[in-house]
Amino acid sequence: MERREGYPNLDLKQSGNLLRYQIRKSGYSVRDIQNYLVLSCPQPVYRWFQGKTLPSVDHLYALSRLLGVHMEDLLAGCGEKPVYLEAFHGKEYLVSYLKYFQQKTA
């Protein structure tokens, strides 16, 4: 599919990282999310975290309610600075460490 200039696109990888961050920050496990969303297995959650797929709109809505955030806070656009980097409060060595491991797993 051709991308149009000026048309906002989602970054699957960053969205996956953001979902993982928001879920873990709230103290939930993959199993908790699986049970809450009534998923038959945990694999969809892991696919979201890996940036392979995105949750359905229904699941995004349910997650936003569970986590107490807006649905938009669970998605990252292309070129946007990841929100979860705020957790490092300017500690650049931690940011570079995170980026290093993200490249290793890509």
Side-chain angles (χ1 to χ4, degrees):
M1 177 185 283
E2 186 177 326
R3 295 194 185 259
R4 293 180 272 165
E5 290 222 12
Y7 183 81
N9 294 296
L10 291 174
D11 184 330
L12 292 176
K13 196 76 164 166
Q14 289 296 352
S15 294
N17 289 332
L18 186 54
L19 277 166
R20 180 186 303 120
Y21 169 74
Q22 292 285 11
I23 288 168
R24 292 197 174 146
K25 180 176 109 174
S26 297
Y28 293 106
S29 69
V30 169
R31 180 71 62 183
D32 295 332
I33 300 303
Q34 176 191 348
N35 292 334
Y36 179 73
L37 297 175
V38 192
L39 300 171
S40 60
C41 62
Q43 274 65 35
V45 180
Y46 289 116
R47 283 193 293 269
W48 302 338
F49 288 176
Q50 294 166 359
K52 293 182 178 180
T53 62
L54 288 173
S56 68
V57 174
D58 287 344
H59 287 158
L60 276 173
Y61 178 73
L63 287 169
S64 73
R65 298 300 294 248
L66 175 69
L67 303 173
V69 298
H70 294 282
M71 289 172 55
E72 290 178 351
D73 295 334
L74 299 175
L75 301 170
C78 289
E80 291 180 8
K81 183 178 177 184
V83 174
Y84 59 88
L85 292 179
E86 293 174 358
F88 298 122
H89 301 291
K91 296 178 182 164
E92 290 302 318
Y93 69 96
L94 291 175
V95 173
S96 61
Y97 183 74
L98 175 67
K99 288 179 181 177
Y100 170 78
F101 280 103
Q102 285 178 334
Q103 291 171 351
K104 287 289 218 183
T105 60

